Amino acid sequence: MIRHATIQRTAEIVMVCGIIALCQPWNLFLHRYGVTIILIGLVTFLCTNWFGKPDDGTERTDGVFDVSDHNEGRT
């Protein structure tokens, strides 16, 4: 089974390739389908965010710094 992080990274790369395809003037095929490439990457990215992570009931912070001013019972 492919991990959702791998699919998510691939979707990001596809979106960047779509932007590059829109900006380049040499290949008409890539320029014509650049927006389609971006949309495919975007839909894939959104689907991996919605359906990729299993819900096991644990809270994940993903390394985000908590700036709340409450101590949650800690002194």
Coordinates of all heavy atoms in Angstrom, one line a residue:
M1 N 0.8 -1.2 0.0 CA 0.0 0.0 0.0 C 0.9 1.2 0.0 O 1.9 1.3 0.7 CB -0.9 0.0 1.3 CG -1.9 1.0 1.3 SD -3.2 0.6 0.2 CE -4.3 1.9 0.4
I2 N 0.5 2.2 -0.8 CA 1.3 3.4 -0.9 C 0.9 4.3 0.2 O -0.3 4.5 0.5 CB 1.1 4.1 -2.3 CG1 1.5 3.2 -3.4 CG2 1.8 5.4 -2.3 CD1 1.2 3.7 -4.8
R3 N 1.8 4.9 0.9 CA 1.5 5.8 2.0 C 0.9 7.1 1.5 O 1.2 7.6 0.4 CB 2.8 6.2 2.8 CG 3.4 5.0 3.5 CD 4.6 5.3 4.3 NE 5.1 6.6 4.0 CZ 6.1 7.2 4.6 NH1 6.7 6.6 5.6 NH2 6.5 8.4 4.3
H4 N 0.1 7.8 2.3 CA -0.6 9.0 1.8 C 0.4 10.1 1.6 O 0.3 11.0 0.8 CB -1.7 9.4 2.7 CG -1.4 10.4 3.8 ND1 -0.7 10.1 4.9 CD2 -1.6 11.7 3.8 CE1 -0.5 11.2 5.6 NE2 -1.1 12.2 5.0
A5 N 1.5 10.1 2.4 CA 2.5 11.1 2.3 C 3.2 11.1 1.0 O 3.6 12.1 0.4 CB 3.5 11.0 3.4
T6 N 3.4 9.9 0.4 CA 4.1 9.7 -0.9 C 3.2 10.2 -2.0 O 3.6 11.0 -2.9 CB 4.4 8.3 -1.1 OG1 5.2 7.8 0.0 CG2 5.2 8.1 -2.4
I7 N 1.9 9.9 -1.9 CA 0.9 10.4 -2.9 C 0.8 11.9 -2.8 O 0.7 12.6 -3.8 CB -0.4 9.7 -2.7 CG1 -0.3 8.2 -2.9 CG2 -1.4 10.2 -3.7 CD1 -1.5 7.4 -2.6
Q8 N 0.8 12.4 -1.6 CA 0.7 13.9 -1.4 C 1.9 14.6 -2.0 O 1.7 15.6 -2.7 CB 0.5 14.2 0.1 CG 0.1 15.6 0.4 CD -0.2 15.8 1.9 OE1 0.2 15.0 2.7 NE2 -0.9 16.8 2.2
R9 N 3.1 14.1 -1.8 CA 4.3 14.7 -2.4 C 4.2 14.6 -3.9 O 4.6 15.6 -4.6 CB 5.5 14.0 -1.8 CG 6.8 14.5 -2.4 CD 7.1 16.0 -2.0 NE 7.2 16.1 -0.6 CZ 7.3 17.3 0.0 NH1 7.4 18.4 -0.7 NH2 7.4 17.4 1.3
T10 N 3.8 13.5 -4.4 CA 3.6 13.4 -5.9 C 2.6 14.4 -6.4 O 2.9 15.0 -7.5 CB 3.2 11.9 -6.2 OG1 4.2 11.0 -5.7 CG2 3.2 11.7 -7.7
A11 N 1.5 14.6 -5.7 CA 0.5 15.5 -6.2 C 1.1 16.9 -6.2 O 0.8 17.7 -7.1 CB -0.7 15.5 -5.3
E12 N 1.9 17.3 -5.2 CA 2.6 18.6 -5.2 C 3.5 18.8 -6.4 O 3.5 19.8 -7.0 CB 3.3 18.8 -3.9 CG 2.5 18.9 -2.7 CD 3.3 18.8 -1.4 OE1 4.5 18.6 -1.4 OE2 2.7 19.0 -0.3
I13 N 4.2 17.7 -6.7 CA 5.1 17.8 -7.8 C 4.4 17.9 -9.1 O 4.7 18.7 -10.0 CB 6.0 16.5 -7.9 CG1 7.0 16.6 -6.7 CG2 6.8 16.4 -9.2 CD1 7.8 15.3 -6.4
V14 N 3.2 17.2 -9.3 CA 2.4 17.3 -10.5 C 1.9 18.7 -10.6 O 1.8 19.3 -11.7 CB 1.2 16.3 -10.4 CG1 0.2 16.6 -11.5 CG2 1.8 14.9 -10.6
M15 N 1.5 19.4 -9.5 CA 1.0 20.8 -9.6 C 2.1 21.7 -10.0 O 1.8 22.6 -10.9 CB 0.4 21.2 -8.2 CG -0.9 20.6 -7.9 SD -1.7 21.3 -6.4 CE -0.8 20.5 -5.2
V16 N 3.3 21.5 -9.5 CA 4.4 22.4 -10.0 C 4.7 22.1 -11.4 O 5.0 23.1 -12.2 CB 5.6 22.1 -9.1 CG1 6.9 22.8 -9.6 CG2 5.4 22.6 -7.7
C17 N 4.7 20.9 -11.9 CA 4.9 20.6 -13.3 C 3.8 21.2 -14.2 O 4.1 21.7 -15.3 CB 4.9 19.1 -13.5 SG 6.4 18.3 -12.9
G18 N 2.6 21.3 -13.7 CA 1.5 22.0 -14.4 C 1.8 23.4 -14.6 O 1.5 24.0 -15.6
I19 N 2.3 24.1 -13.5 CA 2.6 25.5 -13.6 C 3.8 25.7 -14.6 O 3.7 26.7 -15.4 CB 3.0 26.0 -12.2 CG1 1.7 26.0 -11.3 CG2 3.6 27.4 -12.3 CD1 2.0 26.3 -9.9
I20 N 4.8 24.9 -14.6 CA 5.9 24.9 -15.5 C 5.4 24.7 -16.9 O 5.8 25.4 -17.9 CB 7.0 23.9 -15.2 CG1 7.6 24.4 -13.9 CG2 8.0 23.8 -16.3 CD1 8.6 23.3 -13.3
A21 N 4.4 23.8 -17.1 CA 3.9 23.5 -18.4 C 3.1 24.7 -19.0 O 3.1 25.0 -20.2 CB 2.9 22.3 -18.4
L22 N 2.5 25.5 -18.1 CA 1.8 26.7 -18.6 C 2.7 27.8 -18.9 O 2.4 28.6 -19.8 CB 0.9 27.2 -17.4 CG -0.5 26.6 -17.3 CD1 -1.2 27.1 -16.1 CD2 -1.3 26.8 -18.6
C23 N 3.9 27.9 -18.3 CA 4.8 29.0 -18.5 C 5.8 28.8 -19.7 O 6.4 29.7 -20.1 CB 5.6 29.2 -17.2 SG 4.6 29.8 -15.9
Q24 N 5.9 27.6 -20.1 CA 6.9 27.3 -21.2 C 6.2 27.6 -22.6 O 5.1 27.3 -22.8 CB 7.4 25.9 -21.1 CG 6.4 24.8 -21.2 CD 6.1 24.4 -22.6 OE1 6.9 24.5 -23.5 NE2 4.9 24.0 -22.8
P25 N 7.0 28.2 -23.5 CA 6.4 28.5 -24.8 C 6.7 27.5 -25.9 O 6.3 27.7 -27.1 CB 7.0 29.8 -25.1 CG 8.4 29.7 -24.5 CD 8.2 28.9 -23.3
W26 N 7.4 26.4 -25.7 CA 7.9 25.6 -26.8 C 7.0 24.4 -27.2 O 6.9 24.1 -28.3 CB 9.3 25.0 -26.4 CG 10.3 26.0 -26.1 CD1 10.9 26.9 -26.9 CD2 10.7 26.4 -24.8 NE1 11.7 27.7 -26.3 CE2 11.6 27.5 -24.9 CE3 10.4 26.0 -23.5 CZ2 12.2 28.1 -23.8 CZ3 11.0 26.6 -22.4 CH2 11.9 27.6 -22.6
N27 N 6.3 23.9 -26.2 CA 5.5 22.7 -26.5 C 4.0 23.1 -26.4 O 3.5 23.3 -25.3 CB 5.8 21.5 -25.6 CG 5.2 20.2 -26.0 OD1 4.3 20.2 -26.7 ND2 5.9 19.2 -25.5
L28 N 3.3 23.0 -27.5 CA 1.9 23.4 -27.5 C 1.0 22.5 -26.6 O 0.1 22.9 -26.0 CB 1.3 23.6 -28.9 CG -0.1 24.0 -29.0 CD1 -0.3 25.4 -28.4 CD2 -0.6 24.0 -30.4
F29 N 1.3 21.2 -26.7 CA 0.6 20.2 -26.0 C 0.6 20.5 -24.5 O -0.4 20.4 -23.8 CB 1.1 18.8 -26.3 CG 0.4 17.7 -25.5 CD1 -0.8 17.2 -25.9 CD2 1.0 17.2 -24.3 CE1 -1.5 16.2 -25.1 CE2 0.3 16.2 -23.6 CZ -0.9 15.7 -24.0
L30 N 1.8 20.7 -23.9 CA 2.0 21.0 -22.5 C 1.3 22.3 -22.1 O 0.6 22.4 -21.1 CB 3.4 21.0 -22.1 CG 4.2 19.7 -22.1 CD1 5.6 20.0 -21.8 CD2 3.6 18.7 -21.1
H31 N 1.4 23.3 -23.0 CA 0.7 24.6 -22.7 C -0.8 24.4 -22.7 O -1.5 25.0 -21.9 CB 1.2 25.6 -23.7 CG 0.7 27.0 -23.4 ND1 1.1 27.7 -22.3 CD2 -0.3 27.7 -24.0 CE1 0.5 28.9 -22.3 NE2 -0.4 28.9 -23.3
R32 N -1.3 23.6 -23.6 CA -2.7 23.5 -23.7 C -3.3 22.7 -22.5 O -4.4 23.0 -22.1 CB -3.1 22.7 -25.0 CG -4.6 22.5 -25.2 CD -4.8 21.8 -26.5 NE -4.5 22.8 -27.6 CZ -4.3 22.4 -28.9 NH1 -4.5 21.2 -29.2 NH2 -4.0 23.3 -29.8
Y33 N -2.6 21.7 -22.0 CA -3.1 20.9 -20.9 C -2.5 21.2 -19.6 O -2.6 20.5 -18.6 CB -2.9 19.4 -21.3 CG -3.8 19.0 -22.4 CD1 -3.3 18.8 -23.7 CD2 -5.2 18.9 -22.2 CE1 -4.1 18.4 -24.7 CE2 -6.0 18.5 -23.3 CZ -5.4 18.3 -24.5 OH -6.2 17.9 -25.6
G34 N -1.9 22.4 -19.4 CA -1.2 22.8 -18.2 C -2.2 22.9 -17.0 O -2.0 22.5 -15.9
V35 N -3.4 23.6 -17.3 CA -4.4 23.7 -16.3 C -5.0 22.4 -15.9 O -5.2 22.1 -14.7 CB -5.5 24.7 -16.8 CG1 -6.6 24.8 -15.8 CG2 -4.9 26.1 -17.0
T36 N -5.1 21.5 -16.8 CA -5.6 20.1 -16.5 C -4.7 19.4 -15.6 O -5.1 18.7 -14.7 CB -5.9 19.3 -17.8 OG1 -6.7 20.1 -18.7 CG2 -6.5 18.0 -17.5
I37 N -3.4 19.6 -15.9 CA -2.3 18.9 -15.0 C -2.4 19.5 -13.6 O -2.3 18.7 -12.6 CB -0.9 19.1 -15.7 CG1 -0.9 18.4 -17.0 CG2 0.1 18.6 -14.7 CD1 0.4 18.7 -17.8
I38 N -2.6 20.8 -13.5 CA -2.7 21.4 -12.2 C -3.9 20.9 -11.4 O -3.8 20.6 -10.3 CB -2.7 22.9 -12.3 CG1 -1.4 23.5 -12.8 CG2 -3.0 23.6 -10.9 CD1 -1.4 24.9 -13.2
L39 N -5.0 20.8 -12.1 CA -6.3 20.3 -11.5 C -6.2 18.9 -11.0 O -6.7 18.5 -10.0 CB -7.4 20.5 -12.4 CG -7.9 22.0 -12.6 CD1 -9.0 22.1 -13.6 CD2 -8.3 22.6 -11.3
I40 N -5.5 18.1 -11.8 CA -5.3 16.7 -11.4 C -4.5 16.6 -10.2 O -4.8 15.8 -9.2 CB -4.7 15.8 -12.6 CG1 -5.7 15.7 -13.7 CG2 -4.2 14.5 -12.1 CD1 -5.1 15.1 -15.0
G41 N -3.4 17.4 -10.1 CA -2.6 17.4 -8.9 C -3.4 17.9 -7.7 O -3.2 17.4 -6.6
L42 N -4.2 19.0 -7.9 CA -5.0 19.5 -6.8 C -6.0 18.6 -6.3 O -6.1 18.4 -5.1 CB -5.6 20.8 -7.3 CG -6.5 21.6 -6.3 CD1 -5.6 22.0 -5.1 CD2 -7.2 22.7 -6.9
V43 N -6.7 17.9 -7.2 CA -7.7 16.9 -6.7 C -7.1 15.8 -6.0 O -7.6 15.3 -4.9 CB -8.6 16.4 -7.9 CG1 -9.4 15.2 -7.5 CG2 -9.4 17.6 -8.4
T44 N -5.9 15.3 -6.5 CA -5.2 14.2 -5.8 C -4.7 14.7 -4.4 O -4.9 14.0 -3.4 CB -4.0 13.8 -6.6 OG1 -4.5 13.4 -7.9 CG2 -3.3 12.6 -6.0
F45 N -4.2 15.9 -4.3 CA -3.8 16.5 -3.1 C -4.9 16.5 -2.1 O -4.8 16.2 -0.9 CB -3.2 17.8 -3.3 CG -2.6 18.4 -2.1 CD1 -1.3 18.1 -1.6 CD2 -3.2 19.4 -1.4 CE1 -0.7 18.6 -0.5 CE2 -2.7 20.0 -0.2 CZ -1.4 19.6 0.2
L46 N -6.1 17.0 -2.5 CA -7.2 17.2 -1.6 C -7.7 15.8 -1.2 O -8.1 15.6 0.0 CB -8.3 17.9 -2.3 CG -8.1 19.4 -2.5 CD1 -9.2 20.0 -3.4 CD2 -7.9 20.1 -1.2
C47 N -7.8 14.8 -2.1 CA -8.2 13.5 -1.7 C -7.3 12.8 -0.7 O -7.8 12.1 0.2 CB -8.4 12.6 -2.9 SG -9.8 13.1 -4.0
T48 N -6.0 13.0 -0.8 CA -5.1 12.4 0.2 C -5.2 13.1 1.5 O -5.1 12.4 2.5 CB -3.6 12.5 -0.3 OG1 -3.3 13.9 -0.5 CG2 -3.4 11.7 -1.5
N49 N -5.6 14.3 1.6 CA -5.8 15.0 2.8 C -7.1 14.5 3.5 O -7.2 14.4 4.7 CB -5.9 16.5 2.7 CG -4.5 17.1 2.6 OD1 -3.5 16.5 3.1 ND2 -4.4 18.3 2.0
W50 N -8.2 14.3 2.7 CA -9.4 13.9 3.2 C -9.4 12.4 3.7 O -10.0 12.0 4.7 CB -10.6 14.1 2.2 CG -10.9 15.5 2.0 CD1 -10.8 16.5 2.9 CD2 -11.6 16.1 0.9 NE1 -11.2 17.7 2.4 CE2 -11.7 17.4 1.2 CE3 -12.0 15.5 -0.3 CZ2 -12.3 18.3 0.2 CZ3 -12.6 16.4 -1.2 CH2 -12.7 17.7 -1.0
F51 N -8.9 11.5 2.8 CA -9.0 10.1 3.0 C -7.8 9.4 3.4 O -7.8 8.2 3.6 CB -9.6 9.4 1.7 CG -10.9 10.0 1.2 CD1 -10.9 10.7 0.0 CD2 -12.0 10.0 2.0 CE1 -12.1 11.3 -0.4 CE2 -13.2 10.5 1.6 CZ -13.3 11.2 0.4
G52 N -6.6 10.0 3.4 CA -5.4 9.4 3.6 C -5.0 9.0 5.0 O -4.5 8.0 5.3
K53 N -5.4 9.8 6.0 CA -5.0 9.6 7.4 C -6.0 8.8 8.1 O -7.2 9.1 8.1 CB -4.8 10.9 8.1 CG -3.7 11.8 7.5 CD -3.7 13.1 8.2 CE -2.7 14.0 7.5 NZ -2.6 15.4 8.1
P54 N -5.6 7.7 8.7 CA -6.5 6.9 9.5 C -6.9 7.6 10.8 O -6.0 8.3 11.4 CB -5.7 5.6 9.8 CG -4.3 6.0 9.8 CD -4.2 7.1 8.7
D55 N -8.1 7.5 11.2 CA -8.6 8.2 12.4 C -8.5 7.2 13.6 O -9.4 6.3 13.8 CB -10.0 8.7 12.2 CG -10.5 9.5 13.4 OD1 -9.6 10.0 14.2 OD2 -11.7 9.6 13.6
D56 N -7.4 7.2 14.3 CA -7.3 6.3 15.5 C -7.6 6.9 16.8 O -7.3 6.3 17.8 CB -5.9 5.7 15.4 CG -4.8 6.8 15.5 OD1 -5.1 8.0 15.5 OD2 -3.6 6.4 15.5
G57 N -8.1 8.1 16.8 CA -8.5 8.8 18.0 C -7.4 9.5 18.8 O -7.7 10.2 19.8
T58 N -6.2 9.5 18.3 CA -5.1 10.2 19.0 C -5.0 11.6 18.3 O -5.2 11.8 17.1 CB -3.8 9.5 18.8 OG1 -3.5 9.3 17.5 CG2 -3.9 8.1 19.5
E59 N -4.7 12.5 19.1 CA -4.5 13.9 18.6 C -3.0 14.0 18.1 O -2.1 13.7 18.8 CB -4.7 14.9 19.8 CG -4.5 16.3 19.3 CD -4.8 17.3 20.5 OE1 -5.3 16.9 21.5 OE2 -4.4 18.5 20.3
R60 N -2.9 14.5 16.9 CA -1.6 14.7 16.3 C -1.4 16.2 16.1 O -2.2 17.0 15.6 CB -1.6 14.1 14.9 CG -1.8 12.6 15.0 CD -1.7 11.9 13.7 NE -2.1 10.5 13.8 CZ -2.4 9.8 12.8 NH1 -2.4 10.2 11.6 NH2 -2.7 8.5 13.0
T61 N -0.2 16.6 16.5 CA 0.2 18.0 16.4 C 1.0 18.3 15.1 O 1.1 19.4 14.7 CB 1.0 18.5 17.6 OG1 2.1 17.7 17.8 CG2 0.1 18.4 18.9
D62 N 1.6 17.3 14.6 CA 2.4 17.4 13.4 C 3.6 18.4 13.5 O 3.9 19.1 12.6 CB 1.6 17.7 12.1 CG 0.6 16.6 11.8 OD1 1.0 15.5 12.0 OD2 -0.4 16.9 11.3
G63 N 4.1 18.5 14.7 CA 5.2 19.4 15.0 C 4.8 20.9 15.0 O 5.7 21.7 15.0
V64 N 3.5 21.2 15.1 CA 3.1 22.6 15.1 C 3.3 23.1 16.6 O 3.0 22.5 17.5 CB 1.6 22.7 14.7 CG1 1.2 24.2 14.8 CG2 1.5 22.2 13.3
F65 N 3.8 24.3 16.7 CA 4.1 24.9 18.0 C 2.7 25.4 18.6 O 2.0 26.1 17.9 CB 5.0 26.1 17.8 CG 5.3 26.8 19.1 CD1 6.1 26.1 20.0 CD2 4.9 28.0 19.4 CE1 6.4 26.7 21.2 CE2 5.2 28.7 20.6 CZ 6.0 28.0 21.5
D66 N 2.5 25.0 19.8 CA 1.2 25.4 20.5 C 1.4 26.7 21.2 O 2.3 26.8 22.0 CB 0.9 24.3 21.5 CG -0.5 24.6 22.2 OD1 -1.2 25.4 21.7 OD2 -0.7 24.0 23.3
V67 N 0.7 27.7 20.7 CA 0.8 29.0 21.3 C -0.3 29.4 22.3 O -0.4 30.5 22.7 CB 0.8 30.1 20.1 CG1 2.1 29.9 19.3 CG2 -0.4 30.0 19.3
S68 N -1.0 28.4 22.7 CA -2.1 28.7 23.7 C -1.5 29.0 25.0 O -0.4 28.6 25.4 CB -3.0 27.5 23.8 OG -2.3 26.4 24.3
D69 N -2.2 29.8 25.8 CA -1.7 30.3 27.1 C -2.2 29.4 28.3 O -2.0 29.8 29.4 CB -2.0 31.7 27.3 CG -3.5 32.0 27.2 OD1 -4.2 31.2 26.8 OD2 -3.9 33.2 27.5
H70 N -2.9 28.3 28.0 CA -3.3 27.5 29.1 C -2.3 26.3 29.3 O -1.6 25.9 28.3 CB -4.7 27.0 28.9 CG -4.9 26.1 27.6 ND1 -4.9 26.6 26.4 CD2 -5.0 24.8 27.5 CE1 -5.0 25.6 25.5 NE2 -5.0 24.5 26.1
N71 N -2.3 25.8 30.5 CA -1.3 24.8 30.8 C -1.8 23.3 30.7 O -1.0 22.4 30.9 CB -0.7 25.0 32.2 CG 0.1 26.3 32.2 OD1 0.7 26.7 31.2 ND2 0.0 27.0 33.4
E72 N -3.1 23.1 30.5 CA -3.7 21.8 30.5 C -3.3 21.0 31.7 O -2.9 19.8 31.6 CB -3.3 21.1 29.2 CG -3.8 21.7 27.9 CD -3.4 21.0 26.7 OE1 -3.0 19.8 26.8 OE2 -3.6 21.6 25.6
G73 N -3.4 21.6 32.9 CA -3.1 20.8 34.1 C -1.7 20.7 34.5 O -1.4 20.2 35.6
R74 N -0.8 21.2 33.7 CA 0.6 21.2 34.1 C 1.0 22.5 34.9 O 0.4 23.5 34.6 CB 1.5 21.1 32.8 CG 1.3 19.8 32.1 CD 2.3 19.8 30.9 NE 1.9 20.9 29.9 CZ 1.4 20.6 28.8 NH1 1.1 19.4 28.4 NH2 1.1 21.6 27.9
T75 N 1.9 22.3 35.8 CA 2.3 23.5 36.6 C 3.6 24.0 36.2 O 4.3 23.5 35.5 CB 2.3 23.1 38.1 OG1 3.2 22.1 38.3 CG2 0.9 22.7 38.6

